[in-house]
Amino acid sequence: MASEAPQAAVLWPVAEIAIVLALFFAVLAVKRGWPGEARLRRIALWIKAWVLSAPATAALWIFLTLHSSTLGELTSSVRTEVLRLHSTNLTQLAEHPVSALISSALWIEISDLPMVALLAVCVLAPAERWLGTFRTVVVFFLGHVLATLITAGVLTALLRVETERYADRGFGSVVDVGVSYGSLCVAGLLCYRVRSLPLRILVMAGLLIGVVASGAFFEDYTAFGHNTSVVLGFLLRPLATTAMRSAGRGASPPRHPDEQPGLRPEERSGAA
């Protein structure tokens, strides 16, 4: 505990200062035409296009990053209490069900930031470009809420049926936050983006097997929630069908960041 306080008090502020300085010098380089100015402009335009193509994903990532940076400056005990207040454990679900279900998706453990970034790039952003922002948000929160409620229902039943076995597991106060339930539900639905039926079945099977295998690294209730989320994504096929019909009618999908709008032709060829 004593060693964690200095680490939180020094490392996170240093990281924040480094990020601010990097952004400051990047802006200064663009403004004054320093070497690398053209490349920085291309990077800025690519980031802008990426955000515009997946605004909900970008907003979620920003929320989670800000919350994690806040947690990084707290001691371990305080950090745990903050996360517990926003968790979907049985106590919070019983006392504050709505706020717990919503806020739990906006907080993560600091160590989960790289995984969230990977999910944003590989799952949430591609799904948002395909389904649209509204459908993606609906699928994400359906997966998050339904998987949480189903898992909580199973835990409650286990506590009633096998009280002696599960009474000391701390389900009422456990820290259970993050975007995994919603993201895995979106991933399950995203499988329908694969048009070839044999290949789609192979992708769905691979996703489900991978999630089941990852249960070795999580608590049993979390692994159950992950599996439930993927299955829920599979069951939301009507939303995928609607997206495919919209694409078939010629609806223009959100602009992909690789198109880099605003660049002159010679800059686009240089970026490639």
Side-chain angles (χ1 to χ4, degrees):
M1 180 76 67
S3 62
E4 290 186 12
Q7 183 178 13
V10 176
L11 294 183
W12 279 97
V14 168
E16 291 171 354
I17 292 173
I19 292 172
V20 170
L21 287 176
L23 291 175
F24 171 76
F25 283 111
V27 172
L28 201 61
V30 171
K31 183 178 180 179
R32 298 191 176 183
W34 291 351
E37 174 260 348
R39 180 175 296 275
L40 288 173
R41 286 184 180 274
R42 287 195 293 270
I43 293 173
L45 288 170
W46 188 92
I47 293 174
K48 177 182 176 182
W50 195 95
V51 171
L52 291 177
S53 71
T57 301
L60 178 64
W61 186 84
I62 291 172
F63 268 115
L64 294 171
T65 302
L66 290 175
H67 284 166
S68 292
S69 64
T70 301
L71 291 173
E73 299 181 2
L74 304 177
T75 62
S76 177
S77 59
V78 176
R79 183 165 62 241
T80 300
E81 286 304 314
V82 170
L83 290 175
R84 184 174 289 118
L85 288 174
H86 295 282
S87 293
T88 49
N89 53 51
L90 296 184
T91 299
Q92 292 298 320
L93 285 175
E95 297 178 355
H96 315 285
V98 176
S99 61
L101 286 170
I102 295 175
S103 65
S104 60
L106 301 177
W107 291 84
I108 58 171
E109 300 275 5
I110 300 171
S111 58
D112 291 337
L113 265 178
M115 179 57 66
V116 170
L118 184 64
L119 287 172
V121 171
C122 299
V123 176
L124 297 178
E128 188 172 357
R129 297 186 196 109
W130 177 49
L131 296 169
T133 297
F134 178 76
R135 291 193 189 99
T136 304
V137 172
V138 169
V139 172
F140 178 88
F141 277 102
L142 273 177
H144 177 74
V145 171
L146 292 180
T148 298
L149 293 178
I150 292 172
T151 303
V154 171
L155 289 178
T156 302
L158 289 175
L159 286 171
R160 291 177 179 174
V161 175
E162 300 186 40
T163 305
E164 293 184 1
R165 180 178 178 183
Y166 293 98
D168 61 345
R169 297 289 296 275
F171 293 138
S173 60
V174 70
V175 172
D176 186 19
V177 295
V179 298
S180 58
Y181 288 2
S183 298
L184 288 174
C185 184
V186 173
L189 183 61
L190 189 61
C191 293
Y192 292 104
R193 189 74 173 88
V194 181
R195 295 185 176 274
S196 171
L197 182 59
L199 182 58
R200 183 196 306 159
I201 294 175
L202 184 63
V203 170
M204 294 171 76
L207 174 62
L208 191 56
I209 291 172
V211 172
V212 171
S214 70
F217 302 97
F218 299 98
E219 295 283 351
D220 48 5
Y221 66 89
T222 303
F224 178 83
H226 288 168
N227 300 334
T228 303
S229 301
V230 173
V231 174
L232 287 172
F234 293 160
L235 296 177
L236 292 176
R237 181 176 181 176
L239 288 175
T241 304
T242 304
M244 289 186 285
R245 287 176 180 172
S246 298
R249 288 196 297 267
S252 58
R255 192 186 295 265
H256 191 275
D258 288 343
E259 296 179 22
Q260 300 186 41
L263 289 180
R264 294 189 296 274
E266 59 271 20
E267 288 179 330
R268 291 183 182 178
S269 60

